[in-house]
């Protein structure tokens, strides 16, 4: 167990290292650098002509004239050692301040989304497999096709439209108006919970459709296994049999793809957040990209990816615990 | 779907002929026969073909240009051709006209529908000259009105015809998908091919790299690349940059599939034979290995289409992809972003229907092709 | 013969995409208390479907014909009409495992990979007895020892994939016997094993059957195995029993051309000079069942105009011995 754990942990660190390099490359991609944008922003509208020398001065002051490799190591070093993601130029404050509690909000949203996905997908997928070929099974197949074809953000728009038409209600946001700026309190937390389920449901949409199909397919596969027939031949009652034998194994592929689901959810997050007005990392990432505030964008991309990598690690451990066939020796 | 089985032993002539036809059919004929039996997939193919034709010949099917404005019909609702109204019925479909009147409160002039005017629908109407696909000149449109404008699906806030724009958008979105898929296919084939053919350390390195790329959430990654496009780029530059981005992000999944296919073929005897007779690596890959898994690749390509289309739509939707004056489904949906806009003009949401239908069509075609290409798929 | 199980006119039909097929047609046989019936046939002859029907384990698209009768004499002495039991009925569950045990060809696949051997044994024991968890575990260890597993106290907490092939099949036997069934159905239990281990497992099963006083249905495609383990034999071909009777008599004087063909295909030390002669041709698929005698397409002695038209009736050669062949009927008529 210890060896398995250490191996996976080291693998995770290597992945994070390579990911951080790619994130850094993305941050460097837009034409011009932080100094250009900083200078443009600071002096535009003031009637001051900015010369190339001025920009160069800023560049030197911020250490942007150093080679990329050096800048990468100072960037990642500050993040790892001091939790310092640099300055957000659009806000002229440290990135950590801009992000604030948005990281926690995002994490909370993620957890609720995953919970909805699994609590719905596992029983529904099992039911569809057991009732294979029935009307509910066909209906679910249609829904899963839609899960891929109707992107989450369009679902969000559709829901917004109908909520407005039928209930006259605005369903966006993570908080009631007025609660947004309030300090954290039990009332604010409750407000968050009552607002969170709908965005979570929208975010869960495609992961849900995918997982229902996965569970259904695995379950169908398992239902035909000899071990199930053998258990039935020993007189195990049908209900207990389904749960103990095929269903128990149908959960494994779900566990092994947790990281994948987190990836899918984060992938949809920025656009859904924009549509539903969710004030968390996804929405901030989109704004940062539009403003070319690459320090913020890079920080968020790195945070999101780190969460995914960690979830992959967790799912590996969970699977090893759930499935004795995986040799813990490595 | 059951796989086609060889016709059973029997005596009649026609059946024997059918059997001979079955046994002598080429791989592609067999796949086509099996695909044809997949009703959903055939429906998907028909829908997609229609879309592609509408988009390709948008200059003929669309009554107006993508940026042409009708200042008298802003945010106008869809006009459905009808046969009957309060004045009775006719065999020629028509829509009601509009008239201008002065608002009694604000005294501004505004356009209101006038149910007394009937504008009859006309086919093959004369219109300003444009060029089909940029080079075949046309002076007629499939349908239109004379002396007035027909907006089947309404207009946006600038008075542009949603129907016409949707057709042009279909062309852009589908073609961007095709190019994106081709680019990612090219990358996947080179990279996955190298991994699958050489194996060993190269394979390991490429494997790990694709794994790591896939860890970064896709749309934020697309956005990061798209954000880097200079704002001053022209529509055409952005268009091609988008196909490159789509291809650059899309390849890892495809590369992994190609690699695993190649690895299984690599150990086949005929590949060993070719290697022993001294053929070059590239020749072995192209001549001996590729043909045997072309059908798998085609299935994978079809399946990866929806992701391209969805990515383009998503990026353009948030303003990081194509930008006006280009029209794509995503660009059109930008107008439907705010709840106020959809409330006032729900028809702005029509392009979303196209996205959904196109993705569904690709998905069912992919499923049909997969079943058709795999002779054992039906047995399960 | 004091029967524990009587099967009369068993017919099973399947709905398939290519139309209905009937892999089992009018099968009759009985299993004597404390005796072993060997069920022989090539793959595709319907042996496994027959035994699955006995336990009502057929898939959803299968239907047992209402004419069929499967009657089982329970340990309490009462007769149970298995064919009449409702799916999921309590009685059916008691019979499965508690009265009739079953072992399969692939021991690896018969165990769930995520539970230990002991977990599944304790589950089975507790379903059919009133033992508590600890007593059930003790019994399970005892059973594992009985089937010859070394170190049973340790094996019980292992997973099937941690055992070797022979050990797995022994564990499977222990699992099937743990709830004390009176009848054991063994579906080709030695086919997947090495030859040496095959012999060990056969010995084990024979000993267990004798010691526990069980009845057994032993399915195999190998008449040689039958000679070692069974007292009675039924030969199946395309869903019908073509010949049955006590093993010694059937092997000594086979009456059906198919049985004779199977016998010629067994290698034996005193016939090393002869080439083995397999039964010519392949068994037709269940949807291509030939008209008349199902075996006529491969029979070297088929009578044209008779065997390909008429289905042969069962000829009783002795009270416990019969065969279905036109040759016997014409011979019988000639002597009469």
């Amino acid at each position: 167990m210890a060896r398995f754990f250490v191996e996976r942990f080291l693998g995770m660190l290597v992945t994070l290292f390579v990911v951080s390099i790619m994130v850094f490359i993305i941050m460097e991609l837009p034409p011009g650098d932080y100094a250009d944008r900083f200078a443009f922003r600071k002096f535009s509208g003031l009637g001051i002509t900015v010369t190339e020398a001025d920009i160069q001065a800023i560049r030197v002051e911020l250490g942007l004239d150093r080679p990329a490799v050096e800048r990468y190591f100072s960037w990642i070093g500050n993040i790892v050692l001091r939790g310092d993601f640099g300055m957000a130029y659009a806000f002229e404050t440290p990135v950590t301040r801009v992000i604030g509690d948005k990281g926690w909000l995002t994490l909370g949203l993620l957890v609720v989304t995953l919970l909805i996905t699994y609590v719905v997908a596992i029983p529904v997928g099992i039911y569809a497999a057991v009732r294979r070929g029935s009307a509910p099974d066909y209906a679910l197949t249609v829904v899963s096709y839609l899960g891929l074809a109707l992107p989450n953000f369009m679902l969000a728009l559709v829901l917004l439209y109908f909520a407005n038409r039928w209930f006259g209600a605005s369903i966006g946001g993570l908080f009631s108006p007025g609660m947004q700026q309030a300090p954290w309190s039990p009332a604010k937390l409750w407000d968050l919970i009552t607002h969170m389920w709908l965005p979570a449901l929208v975010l869960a949409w495609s992961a849900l459709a995918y997982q229902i199909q996965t569970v259904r397919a695995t379950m169908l596969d398992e239902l035909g296994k000899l071990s199930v027939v053998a258990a039935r031949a020993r007189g195990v009652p049908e209900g207990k049999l389904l749960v103990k034998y095929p269903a128990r194994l149908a959960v494994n592929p779900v566990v092994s793809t947790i990281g994948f689901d987190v990836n899918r959810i984060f992938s949809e997050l920025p656009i859904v957040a924009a549509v539903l007005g969710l004030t968390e990392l996804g929405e901030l990432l989109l704004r940062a990209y539009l403003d070319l505030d690459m320090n913020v964008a890079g920080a968020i991309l790195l945070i999101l990816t780190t969460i995914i990598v960690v979830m992959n690690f967790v799912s590996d451990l969970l699977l090893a615990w759930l499935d004795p066939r995986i040799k813990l020796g490595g | 779907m059951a796989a086609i089985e060889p016709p059973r032993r029997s005596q009649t002539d026609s059946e024997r002929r059918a059997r001979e036809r079955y046994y002598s059919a080429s791989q592609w004929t067999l796949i086509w026969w099996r695909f044809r039996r997949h009703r959903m997939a055939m429906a998907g193919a028909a829908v997609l073909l229609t879309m592609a034709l509408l988009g390709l010949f948008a200059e003929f099917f669309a009554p107006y240009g993508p940026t042409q404005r009708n200042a008298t019909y802003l945010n106008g609702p869809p006009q459905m051709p009808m046969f009957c109204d309060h004045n009775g019925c006719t065999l020629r479909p028509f829509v009601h006209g509009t008239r201008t009147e002065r608002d009694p409160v604000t005294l501004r002039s505004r356009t209101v529908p006038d149910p007394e005017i009937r504008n009859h629908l006309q086919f093959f109407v004369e219109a300003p000259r444009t060029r089909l696909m940029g080079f075949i000149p046309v002076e007629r449109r499939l349908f239109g009105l004379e002396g007035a404008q027909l907006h089947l699906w309404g207009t946006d806030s600038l008075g542009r015809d949603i129907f016409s724009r949707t057709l042009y958008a279909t062309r852009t979105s589908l073609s961007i998908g095709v190019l994106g898929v081709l680019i990612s296919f090219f990358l996947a084939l080179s990279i996955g091919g190298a991994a699958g053919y050489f194996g060993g350390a190269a394979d390991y390195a490429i494997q790990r790299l694709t794994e790591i790329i896939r860890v970064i959430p896709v749309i934020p990654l697309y956005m990061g690349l798209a954000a880097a496009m200079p704002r001053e780029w022209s529509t055409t530059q952005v268009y091609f940059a988008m196909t490159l981005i789509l291809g650059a992000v899309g390849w890892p999944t495809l590369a992994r599939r190609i690699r695993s296919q190649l690895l299984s073929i690599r150990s086949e005897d005929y590949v060993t034979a070719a290697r022993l007779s001294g053929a070059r690596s590239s020749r072995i890959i192209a001549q001996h290995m590729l043909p045997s898994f072309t059908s798998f690749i085609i299935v994978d390509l079809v399946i990866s289409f929806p992701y391209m289309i969805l990515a383009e739509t998503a990026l353009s939707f948030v303003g990081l992809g194509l930008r006006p004056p280009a029209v794509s489904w995503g660009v059109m949906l930008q107008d439907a972003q705010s709840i106020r806009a959809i409330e006032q003009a729900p028809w702005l949401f029509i392009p979303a229907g196209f996205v959904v239908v196109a993705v569904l069509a690709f998905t069912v075609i992919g499923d049909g092709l997969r079943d058709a290409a795999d002779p054992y798929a039906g047995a399960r | 013969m004091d029967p524990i199980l009587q099967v009369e006119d068993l017919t099973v039909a399947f709905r398939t995409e290519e139309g209905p097929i009937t892999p089992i047609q009018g099968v009759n046989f009985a299993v004597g208390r404390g005796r072993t019936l060997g069920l022989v046939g090539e793959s595709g002859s319907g042996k496994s479907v027959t035994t699955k029907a006995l336990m009502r384990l057929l898939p959803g698209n299968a239907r047992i014909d209402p004419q069929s009768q499967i009657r089982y004499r329970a340990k309490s002495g009462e007769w149970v009409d298995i064919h009449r039991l409702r799916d999921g009925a309590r009685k059916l569950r008691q019979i499965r495992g508690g009265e009739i045990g079953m072992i399969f060809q692939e021991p690896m696949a018969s165990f769930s990979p995520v539970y230990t051997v002991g977990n599944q044994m304790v589950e089975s024991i507790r379903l059919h007895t009133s033992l508590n968890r600890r007593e059930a575990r003790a019994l399970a260890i005892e059973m594992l020892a009985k089937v010859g597993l070394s170190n049973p106290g340790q094996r019980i907490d292992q997973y099937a994939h941690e055992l070797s092939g022979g050990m797995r099949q022994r564990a499977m036997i222990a699992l099937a016997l743990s709830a004390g069934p009176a009848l054991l159905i063994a579906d080709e239990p030695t086919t997947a094993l090495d030859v040496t281990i095959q012999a060990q497992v056969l010995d084990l099963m024979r000993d267990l059957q004798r010691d526990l006083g069980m009845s057994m249905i032993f399915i195999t495609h190998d008449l040689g195995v039958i000679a070692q383990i069974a007292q009675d034999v039924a030969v199946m071909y395309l869903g019908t029993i073509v010949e049955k009777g006590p093993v010694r008599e059937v092997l000594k004087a086979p009456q059906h051309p198919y049985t004779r063909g199977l016998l010629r295909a067994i290698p034996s030390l005193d016939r090393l000079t002869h080439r083995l002669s397999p039964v010519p041709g392949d068994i037709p698929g269940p949807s291509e069942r030939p008209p008349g005698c199902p075996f006529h397409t491969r029979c070297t002695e088929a009578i044209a105009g008779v065997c390909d038209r008429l289905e042969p009736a069962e000829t009783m050669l002795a009270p416990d011995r019969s065969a279905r062949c036109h040759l016997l009927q014409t011979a019988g008529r000639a002597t009469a």
Side-chain angles (χ1 to χ4, degrees):
Chain A
M1 188 71 199
R3 195 175 144 210
F4 178 83
F5 183 88
V6 169
E7 270 181 8
R8 292 299 151 116
F9 190 77
L10 288 180
M12 180 173 85
L13 292 186
V14 172
T15 307
L16 280 178
F17 175 65
V18 180
V19 161
S20 72
I21 294 177
M22 290 199 286
V23 169
F24 187 73
I25 294 174
I26 291 174
M27 291 169 67
E28 295 276 303
L29 271 182
D33 62 5
Y34 184 86
D36 290 317
R37 273 166 254 147
F38 186 80
F40 177 78
R41 186 182 174 85
K42 191 148 194 179
F43 301 111
S44 67
L46 296 178
I48 305 169
T49 1
V50 189
T51 61
E52 192 52 45
D54 292 336
I55 297 177
Q56 190 57 36
I58 300 175
R59 204 166 274 148
V60 172
E61 188 190 315
L62 295 172
L64 293 176
D65 53 338
R66 290 175 298 161
V69 177
E70 219 173 289
R71 274 182 291 125
Y72 164 76
F73 280 107
S74 94
W75 174 73
I76 195 74
N78 280 334
I79 293 173
V80 174
L81 299 176
R82 283 190 286 276
D84 175 10
F85 288 90
M87 293 291 283
Y89 95 99
F91 303 92
E92 287 190 51
T93 45
V95 172
T96 39
R97 277 271 294 285
V98 176
I99 289 178
D101 56 7
K102 288 188 167 127
W104 295 110
L105 275 182
T106 310
L107 211 55
L109 190 59
L110 173 72
V111 170
V112 177
T113 307
L114 285 177
L115 278 180
I116 290 181
T117 307
Y118 299 140
V119 166
V120 177
I122 294 172
V124 167
I126 289 174
Y127 176 83
V130 174
R131 295 261 172 277
R132 181 189 191 179
S134 65
D137 183 27
Y138 281 119
L140 279 170
T141 310
V142 173
V143 171
S144 337
Y145 267 117
L146 270 182
L148 172 66
L150 184 68
N152 297 25
F153 72 91
M154 283 194 199
L155 176 73
L157 281 173
V158 172
L159 287 181
L160 277 181
Y161 176 70
F162 283 111
N164 195 295
R165 238 188 113 149
W166 291 339
F167 311 113
S170 164
I171 52 173
L174 283 175
F175 299 98
S176 311
M179 273 292 186
Q180 180 80 54
Q181 302 302 327
W184 281 104
S185 66
K188 184 170 177 178
L189 190 65
W190 177 246
D191 188 55
L192 176 66
I193 292 168
T194 51
H195 278 80
M196 202 181 253
W197 67 270
L198 184 100
L201 198 64
V202 171
L203 280 171
W205 169 246
S206 61
L208 193 58
Y210 177 81
Q211 288 293 13
I212 287 179
Q213 281 309 304
T214 315
V215 173
R216 180 181 177 275
T218 326
M219 187 71 185
L220 273 181
D221 203 33
E222 290 294 333
L223 277 175
K225 286 264 172 82
L226 187 57
S227 56
V228 176
V229 179
R232 199 172 283 139
R234 292 197 297 272
V236 182
E238 203 60 25
K240 191 188 170 194
L241 177 102
L242 286 182
V243 173
K244 183 172 174 182
Y245 293 94
R248 165 70 178 65
L249 279 153
V251 172
N252 284 2
V254 175
V255 170
S256 70
T257 51
I258 292 178
F260 201 64
D261 284 334
V262 178
N263 188 311
R264 190 192 301 271
I265 290 165
F266 280 166
S267 178
E268 305 272 1
L269 188 59
I271 301 179
V272 170
V275 172
L276 289 179
L278 310 177
T279 49
E280 43 62 74
L281 289 185
E283 180 254 11
L284 187 60
L285 175 66
L286 179 58
R287 262 198 296 155
Y289 275 142
L290 289 169
D291 294 345
L292 285 185
D293 196 345
M294 295 317 279
N295 275 352
V296 176
I300 295 175
L301 202 53
L302 196 63
I303 292 173
L304 295 184
T305 313
T306 305
I307 295 178
I308 294 172
V309 174
V310 170
M311 288 307 263
N312 269 333
F313 176 64
V314 170
S315 115
D316 277 354
L317 294 188
L318 267 181
L319 196 66
W321 175 64
L322 274 178
D323 195 335
R325 283 170 297 183
I326 295 173
K327 288 214 177 68
L328 293 178
Chain B
M1 277 301 120
I4 289 187
E5 288 195 354
R8 306 237 166 73
R9 248 167 279 158
S10 112
Q11 269 62 45
T12 67
D13 247 17
S14 66
E15 281 186 31
R16 188 171 328 119
R17 266 202 302 277
R19 200 164 71 233
E20 269 160 24
R21 220 156 50 101
Y22 178 88
Y23 287 122
S24 58
S26 73
Q27 180 198 4
W28 297 107
T29 321
L30 285 177
I31 290 179
W32 166 240
W33 285 353
R34 278 195 294 261
F35 182 75
R36 218 170 35 181
R37 302 189 357 160
H38 207 293
R39 247 178 288 152
M40 285 286 281
M42 282 301 281
V47 167
L48 211 60
L49 197 66
T50 314
M51 270 195 184
L53 288 177
L54 284 178
L56 201 56
F57 301 113
E59 281 85 357
F60 172 67
F61 290 113
Y64 312 106
T67 49
Q68 196 175 330
R69 299 178 53 181
N70 179 356
T72 64
Y73 202 69
L74 304 182
N75 265 335
Q79 300 171 309
M80 267 300 132
M82 50 194 149
F83 292 96
C84 291
D85 65 0
H86 62 281
N87 287 329
C89 288
T90 155
L91 280 177
R92 293 177 61 205
F94 63 89
V95 293
H96 286 144
T98 53
R99 73 188 138 86
T100 317
E101 62 173 27
R102 211 165 273 281
D103 189 304
V105 183
T106 62
L107 296 182
R108 281 219 216 114
S109 76
R110 59 173 192 190
T111 313
V112 292
D114 184 350
E116 298 307 318
I117 308 173
R118 279 183 178 184
N119 287 323
H120 288 282
L121 199 64
Q122 295 191 320
F123 289 95
F124 300 105
V125 288
E126 276 182 46
R129 187 187 174 104
T130 55
R131 286 170 189 280
L132 268 189
M133 297 185 289
F135 57 92
I136 309 167
V138 275
E139 285 173 343
R140 291 184 184 271
R141 305 283 186 275
L142 179 64
F143 64 90
L145 299 180
E146 236 164 79
Q149 293 205 358
L150 168 66
H151 301 294
L152 268 189
W153 291 348
T155 57
D156 62 12
S157 55
L158 297 176
R160 296 176 298 193
D161 182 46
I162 299 285
F163 178 78
S164 306
R165 279 171 68 75
T166 306
L167 295 195
Y168 284 98
T170 302
R171 173 195 291 179
T172 318
S173 292
L174 287 184
S175 66
I176 228 173
V178 172
L179 288 176
V181 164
L182 286 182
I183 291 173
S184 79
F185 169 62
F186 176 75
L187 287 172
L189 198 59
S190 339
I191 300 170
Y197 182 78
F198 294 108
D203 182 34
Y204 181 80
I206 292 171
Q207 276 285 92
R208 289 316 308 268
L209 188 69
T210 56
E211 247 167 57
I212 291 171
I213 294 181
R214 278 152 49 103
V215 161
I216 304 179
V218 171
I219 292 184
L221 180 58
Y222 276 128
M223 290 171 142
L225 298 177
M229 288 188 294
R231 294 295 140 97
E232 58 275 8
W233 273 9
S234 72
T235 308
T236 321
Q237 276 174 313
V238 170
Y239 177 90
F240 284 108
M242 280 293 291
T243 65
L244 276 178
I245 291 174
L246 291 178
V249 177
W251 66 266
T253 316
L254 207 51
R256 287 170 79 91
R257 293 266 304 169
I258 289 179
R259 169 193 168 268
S260 56
Q261 279 295 322
L262 276 179
L263 276 186
S264 64
I265 298 173
R266 196 163 71 118
S267 49
E268 299 279 346
D269 288 342
Y270 59 87
V271 177
T272 317
R275 197 177 295 129
L276 287 179
S277 59
R280 269 178 301 116
S281 304
S282 57
R283 187 183 155 78
I284 294 179
I285 295 182
Q287 292 286 313
H288 297 278
M289 296 169 76
L290 267 184
S292 56
F293 73 122
T294 317
S295 60
F296 285 94
I297 292 182
I298 291 177
V299 173
D300 277 354
L301 288 184
V302 172
I303 290 174
S304 57
F305 252 102
Y307 296 100
M308 298 284 167
I309 291 177
L310 289 175
E312 186 277 319
T313 307
L315 288 185
S316 304
F317 176 75
V318 293
L320 283 169
L322 297 176
R323 316 175 184 128
V327 253
S328 76
W329 292 329
V331 172
M332 289 186 72
L333 283 175
Q334 272 185 27
D335 297 336
Q337 231 177 42
S338 73
I339 180 66
R340 242 190 42 228
I342 338 178
E343 210 183 335
Q344 285 176 352
W347 49 89
L348 291 178
F349 211 60
I350 286 175
F354 271 68
V355 177
V356 172
V357 169
V359 171
L360 272 181
F362 273 118
T363 313
V364 292
I365 294 173
D367 283 359
L369 274 179
R370 184 168 41 201
D371 290 351
D374 178 2
Y376 304 108
R380 255 175 271 132
Chain C
M1 182 167 74
D2 168 26
I4 188 168
L5 179 78
Q6 276 187 321
V7 176
E8 270 161 42
D9 204 13
L10 177 66
T11 299
V12 179
F14 281 75
R15 273 180 290 112
T16 70
E17 284 182 21
E18 284 84 32
I21 56 170
T22 317
I24 305 292
Q25 287 188 3
V27 162
N28 299 300
F29 65 87
V31 182
R33 187 173 298 279
R35 291 174 75 90
T36 298
L37 169 74
L39 207 51
V40 197
E42 290 165 278
S43 39
S45 59
K47 300 164 296 181
S48 291
V49 177
T50 306
T51 48
K52 287 224 173 74
L54 300 184
M55 295 279 268
R56 299 282 300 277
L57 290 172
L58 294 169
N61 60 340
R63 208 175 123 267
I64 298 180
D65 191 90
Q67 297 286 313
S68 314
Q69 286 202 2
I70 304 167
R71 307 188 69 220
Y72 170 77
R73 188 159 191 188
K75 288 185 234 172
S76 62
E78 68 167 323
W79 282 95
V80 184
D81 292 338
I82 294 183
H83 57 280
R84 287 230 183 93
L85 293 178
R86 212 167 27 82
D87 271 341
R90 200 188 165 77
K91 198 141 222 167
L92 185 58
R93 289 210 313 266
Q94 285 169 351
I95 285 189
R96 289 173 177 171
E99 294 277 352
I100 308 180
M102 199 160 183
I103 56 180
F104 302 90
Q105 187 172 346
E106 297 158 76
M108 180 68 174
S110 321
F111 280 104
S112 168
V114 292
Y115 298 104
T116 58
V117 170
N119 177 308
Q120 291 166 78
M121 289 184 79
V122 169
E123 174 192 59
S124 181
I125 293 169
R126 297 199 64 204
L127 277 171
H128 299 289
T129 65
S130 54
L131 298 184
N132 66 29
R133 191 168 289 278
R134 195 179 319 131
E135 293 161 346
R137 189 177 156 88
L139 177 60
I141 295 178
E142 196 187 315
M143 288 307 300
L144 287 175
K146 207 174 227 157
V147 297
L149 276 189
S150 58
N151 233 335
Q154 192 188 330
R155 299 275 181 238
I156 192 168
D157 292 321
Q158 289 188 317
Y159 295 94
H161 62 263
E162 295 171 317
L163 304 176
S164 70
M167 284 206 284
R168 242 180 252 144
Q169 191 55 291
R170 285 167 192 266
M172 185 71 218
I173 294 170
L175 172 57
L177 296 183
S178 55
L183 170 66
L184 180 68
I185 299 177
D187 189 348
E188 306 222 17
T190 56
T191 309
L193 302 175
D194 288 344
V195 185
T196 45
I197 297 173
Q198 255 185 39
Q200 285 175 13
V201 171
L202 273 183
D203 283 343
L204 170 72
M205 292 188 72
R206 201 172 41 213
D207 293 347
L208 283 172
Q209 191 243 346
R210 201 182 44 227
D211 295 350
L212 302 172
M214 274 189 316
S215 316
M216 186 150 83
I217 299 178
F218 195 98
I219 302 176
T220 178
H221 57 266
D222 185 351
L223 266 178
V225 170
I226 291 292
Q228 293 177 51
I229 198 161
Q231 287 96 47
D232 303 301
V233 63
V235 181
M236 280 192 91
Y237 186 79
L238 269 187
T240 30
I241 292 182
V242 294
E243 177 162 11
K244 67 183 175 207
V247 168
R248 289 169 56 96
E249 290 172 36
V250 171
L251 295 191
K252 207 158 59 188
Q255 294 299 311
H256 196 280
Y258 180 56
T259 317
R260 286 200 285 273
L262 285 181
L263 275 172
R264 273 197 299 274
I266 303 176
S268 96
L269 282 176
D270 46 74
R271 285 191 293 152
L272 280 180
T273 48
H274 303 279
R275 279 189 82 87
L276 287 178
S277 51
V279 183
D282 281 327
I283 191 162
S287 57
E288 296 160 340
R289 200 184 148 92
C293 172
F295 187 59
H296 83 262
T297 51
R298 297 167 71 189
C299 184
T300 48
E301 302 161 50
I303 314 165
V306 177
C307 291
D308 51 356
R309 294 236 182 104
L310 302 168
E311 205 156 331
E314 192 169 8
T315 311
M316 298 302 294
L317 303 159
D320 56 355
R321 177 128 166 68
S322 69
R324 279 175 186 271
C325 182
H326 286 297
L327 293 168
L328 296 173
Q329 285 173 328
T330 44
R333 231 174 276 142
T335 50

